Amino acid sequence: MFKISRPNLDSLRQHGEQAYPHECCGILLGHVEDDGTRIVTTIARCGNTRTDSAHNRYNIDPKELVRIQREGRNRGEDIVGFYHSHPDHPAQWSKTDHEEAHWIGCSYVITSVEKGKAAVTNSFELTGSDENDKQLVDEKIEVVES
Ligand SMILES: [Zn+2]
């Protein structure tokens, strides 16, 4: 399961609206409970380095990823997931999303942005043991009111 506060959920959805018609992307930081539930406590917005086809691809600069991971650790947070938007496409993962997902045990959150307005937000857990059997599996988003 995946837990996120209303303000953080709104923030990542708004990022999708602001980046429209391009894809936005970012990193979710927080911690993992003993039962495997991922709890997001901080959202880190990233620049999309894919300028060639930023409407249907996203890429996080590895340097930015390392910096965000380090800053998170200083606050006692780990990377628990990633998010991006699908401008005028459903909130379902694409073949490319699956190929480019490498963090097993993390959540991959996708928001569809229709004509500039955030529509559906879905989350998928990357399960499996390695690159060969990894799968993106639907997971429930629980919104924590805070
Ligand atoms: Zn995608």
Side-chain angles (χ1 to χ4, degrees):
M1 205 189 347
F2 173 80
K3 287 189 186 177
I4 187 166
S5 70
R6 176 65 63 192
N8 277 337
L9 182 61
D10 287 346
S11 173
L12 72 83
R13 287 167 56 80
Q14 280 161 8
H15 191 194
E17 294 181 345
Q18 287 159 9
Y20 184 88
H22 300 297
E23 284 197 11
C24 73
C25 56
I27 298 174
L28 307 169
L29 297 124
H31 60 275
V32 184
E33 297 278 270
D34 291 339
D35 67 358
T37 299
R38 282 169 294 286
I39 300 179
V40 175
T41 44
T42 302
I43 300 273
R45 294 183 176 202
C46 295
N48 188 349
T49 62
R50 289 290 301 229
T51 50
D52 52 337
S53 65
H55 60 287
N56 58 10
R57 299 295 289 274
Y58 75 101
N59 186 53
I60 294 171
D61 179 352
K63 287 200 204 87
E64 197 172 19
L65 176 70
V66 167
R67 177 178 58 77
I68 288 167
Q69 185 171 38
R70 191 175 53 232
E71 288 171 359
R73 283 192 179 141
N74 290 340
R75 294 188 303 263
E77 295 174 330
D78 293 315
I79 291 176
V80 296
F82 300 88
Y83 72 88
H84 71 285
S85 61
H86 280 179
D88 297 318
H89 279 87
Q92 290 295 324
W93 52 270
S94 65
K95 187 167 170 287
T96 308
D97 289 335
H98 178 254
E99 284 167 2
E100 295 182 354
H102 304 298
W103 291 57
I104 287 167
C106 276
S107 291
Y108 286 78
V109 175
I110 300 173
T111 299
S112 60
V113 182
E114 294 171 5
K115 298 190 175 75
K117 287 295 289 177
V120 178
T121 299
N122 287 325
S123 186
F124 306 91
E125 179 186 358
L126 188 66
T127 64
S129 52
D130 61 27
E131 284 292 310
N132 297 314
D133 71 352
K134 68 181 183 182
Q135 274 190 312
L136 283 165
V137 178
D138 288 25
E139 69 176 350
K140 186 176 181 294
I141 298 178
E142 186 171 320
V143 179
V144 185
E145 302 300 339
S146 60

